[in-house]
Amino acid sequence: MPSYTATAGQQTFRYTSLAAVLAAATPARSGDELAGLAAETEAHRVAARFVLADLPLVEFLNEALIPYETDEVTRLIIDSHDKAAFAPLASMTVGDLRDWLLSDAADARALARVAKGLTPEMVAAVSKLMRNQDLIAVARKCEVITRFRNTIGGAGRLSTRLQPNHPADDLRGIAVAILDGLLQGAGDAVIGINPASDNIANCTDILKALDQLRLDFDMPVQSCVLTHVTSTIRIIEAGGPVDLPFQSIAGTQDANTGFGVDLAVLREANEAARSLKRGTVGDNVMYFETGQGAPLSAGAHHGVDQQTLEVRAYGVARAFDPLLVNTVVGFIGPEYLYDGKQVIRAGLEDHFCGKLLGLPMGVDVCYTNHVEADQDDMDTLMTLLAASGVNFVICVPGSDDVMLSYQSLAFEDASYLRRTFGLRPAPEFEAWLDRMKLAQAGGPRALPDLSGIAQRMGLSA
């Protein structure tokens, strides 16, 4: 195993592995400190960045962070590496890659051409050499478009996941939240519900209600009940109306085992959903969720820092051409991201790394109530993400998820982002909003026949 040395502040530091360099180079965060991987001093961190800046990219193809023989995520990353796409970058160091990404030569087309030549470890490494403004500038140039019943990710567009969770899965309560979101133009990424109960019959009932709502109003949207992927496969086999299989994923085989999945079952879900051919404008069917710290919380981090492992999870997602991928950036708690500063940095890193790998990245701009953060931090992060060209954000009524008990964005926040940055919904959804007289600029909208629509949704007028 190679070792690496560098000098900073008149001190020489030695790193015993590539994983140790990556961990020490990471901006400070509580999860790496908890794992005993973080830099001990700022000089230690700077020296690790010196090592990374001079490190050839090919080193990441020769030195696996987690052994190829024992980890199927490593095998996926190595075996699917596109050598032709990598060729223009093959002589670069990590520092060279940073400089190229920030240059005018790295426009949207050039970034798309090299995406499959970049491994998650290369992308994680270069992100550690970048300031926040660098992460924003490069992510903004990446354009990743996916399609199912509408087109998500085009230039000048911002989509939203409408998240109408209910603590008792009451369909009328869910309908109220959906109506609230639709009135403010939310829902074009997905109408996605975290069910209170994973009971298959319950999930099927919710899916049927969502599908009937879509059909009643001829909405160009997709729905998802975020139950375990194996339950979704069973629902598909029973004839349930599944648009998107969902699954939380992580960057190591062991962590994915903790989630009850492996690559084979993800392939099975992908193939099952595609076989239904329910998409009208495209066949991207998978929806993945990630978040820094998941492998550490599962005792499956293998001595690798949490941000690098998060990017390896994107390597898993990329293999399935998903419609949506989002990081729930502040959801996992202060043991992994301690405060608003760490959450904001992680949100920008996750979005940048996913986009650079060619993924349709969204972000749940969120925090749990025991994190040292508040809604002003979320305002800052969502504004920076909109400047970065994020594909979608997640919104709940009043920014308070009453089922999962955490703070996210409200529908009004998405309206603020669209007005401030001149962003528009997915084109098919935008046309539907116009047909429904919901497309007026600014503020809550008025439906032409609100009481009639409420009654059709099973609500009191």
Side-chain angles (χ1 to χ4, degrees):
M1 180 178 293
S3 63
Y4 307 85
T5 59
T7 300
Q10 299 181 329
Q11 284 184 280
T12 298
F13 297 91
R14 179 173 178 269
Y15 306 89
T16 57
S17 68
L18 187 51
V21 175
L22 288 165
T26 303
R29 61 203 48 188
S30 50
D32 291 336
E33 292 170 359
L34 181 67
L37 301 172
E40 296 175 357
T41 63
E42 285 305 309
H44 190 202
R45 195 184 325 278
V46 168
R49 290 176 181 172
F50 286 161
V51 173
L52 273 189
D54 292 336
L55 196 72
L57 292 176
V58 293
E59 186 87 351
F60 294 99
L61 300 176
N62 300 326
E63 188 67 24
L65 300 183
I66 302 172
Y68 180 95
E69 296 76 12
T70 59
D71 187 280
E72 68 172 0
V73 175
T74 299
R75 293 196 290 276
L76 173 70
I77 291 168
I78 296 299
D79 295 347
S80 63
H81 182 243
D82 187 329
K83 293 181 175 57
F86 181 63
L89 312 177
S91 63
M92 290 186 181
T93 64
V94 178
D96 292 336
L97 177 61
R98 174 190 176 277
D99 293 345
W100 179 76
L101 291 172
L102 290 167
S103 74
D104 291 339
D107 58 16
R109 289 186 178 183
L111 291 168
R113 282 197 297 271
V114 303
K116 291 187 177 178
L118 292 168
T119 67
E121 290 84 354
M122 295 175 192
V123 170
V126 76
S127 75
K128 297 172 193 293
L129 300 183
M130 302 180 90
R131 299 167 58 187
N132 285 359
Q133 68 170 260
D134 298 339
L135 299 175
I136 294 168
V138 176
R140 185 175 179 81
K141 294 192 289 186
C142 298
E143 187 175 65
V144 182
I145 295 175
T146 54
R147 299 177 176 89
F148 190 73
R149 289 199 188 91
N150 55 36
T151 305
I152 300 168
R157 306 282 176 174
L158 173 66
S159 294
T160 54
R161 170 181 159 189
L162 200 172
Q163 182 169 293
N165 294 344
H166 190 279
D169 288 337
D170 180 81
L171 292 178
R172 287 170 54 84
I174 289 171
V176 169
I178 292 175
L179 181 60
D180 188 8
L182 292 176
L183 283 169
Q184 300 189 67
D188 48 341
V190 64
I191 299 176
I193 297 177
N194 299 93
S197 168
D198 275 335
N199 177 284
I200 288 180
N202 175 62
C203 293
T204 303
D205 286 345
I206 298 173
L207 280 168
K208 288 180 177 177
L210 292 174
D211 202 46
Q212 192 59 51
L213 182 67
R214 174 184 67 83
L215 293 169
D216 280 351
F217 294 98
D218 192 27
M219 284 191 287
V221 299
Q222 37 280 333
S223 65
C224 181
V225 172
L226 282 69
T227 186
H228 194 270
V229 71
T230 53
S231 296
T232 301
I233 292 171
R234 291 178 62 187
I235 293 172
I236 291 174
E237 291 171 344
V242 172
D243 290 340
L244 310 178
F246 164 85
Q247 185 55 49
S248 295
I249 55 172
T252 72
Q253 178 177 329
D254 291 341
N256 283 326
T257 299
F259 284 139
V261 298
D262 57 21
L263 298 179
V265 77
L266 296 178
R267 290 190 191 99
E268 183 181 356
N270 189 28
E271 291 168 3
R274 285 174 183 262
S275 72
L276 299 178
K277 300 186 185 303
R278 289 172 58 84
T280 54
V281 299
D283 63 354
N284 301 111
V285 298
M286 297 299 289
Y287 178 14
F288 293 115
E289 201 158 73
T290 68
Q292 291 192 26
L296 176 58
S297 69
H301 64 85
H302 296 275
V304 180
D305 70 90
Q306 66 181 36
Q307 190 258 342
T308 299
L309 292 179
E310 170 72 3
V311 190
R312 280 170 55 97
Y314 303 155
V316 174
R318 184 166 66 172
F320 299 97
D321 295 322
L323 180 76
L324 306 167
V325 179
N326 70 257
T327 170
V328 279
V329 64
F331 183 77
I332 199 164
E335 299 87 351
Y336 308 92
L337 296 170
Y338 181 73
D339 56 15
K341 180 178 176 62
Q342 292 190 13
V343 171
I344 290 168
R345 172 70 193 189
L348 294 177
E349 288 170 352
D350 294 351
H351 177 255
F352 161 84
C353 292
K355 277 286 188 66
L356 196 54
L357 287 171
L359 288 175
M361 285 303 295
V363 177
D364 192 353
V365 178
C366 64
Y367 63 103
T368 53
N369 290 323
H370 56 317
V371 171
E372 290 292 325
D374 58 27
Q375 213 64 31
D376 283 340
D377 294 312
M378 301 304 103
D379 286 352
T380 301
L381 178 55
M382 72 175 175
T383 303
L384 295 175
L385 287 167
S388 303
V390 67
N391 279 30
F392 70 100
V393 293
I394 294 177
C395 303
V396 302
S399 78
D400 187 3
D401 190 304
V402 295
M403 204 283 281
L404 294 173
S405 298
Y406 77 114
Q407 310 302 313
S408 183
L409 298 186
F411 304 127
E412 292 83 354
D413 294 323
S415 296
Y416 149 76
L417 293 175
R418 284 175 175 165
R419 291 197 304 273
T420 301
F421 290 92
L423 301 171
R424 297 155 61 189
E428 298 86 351
F429 189 71
E430 183 179 37
W432 180 82
L433 290 173
D434 188 55
R435 288 202 306 275
M436 297 297 290
K437 310 299 181 188
L438 290 167
Q440 302 95 321
R445 287 73 185 268
L447 282 168
D449 181 14
L450 182 59
S451 61
I453 288 177
Q455 287 177 347
R456 289 170 67 188
M457 295 176 71
L459 304 170
S460 299

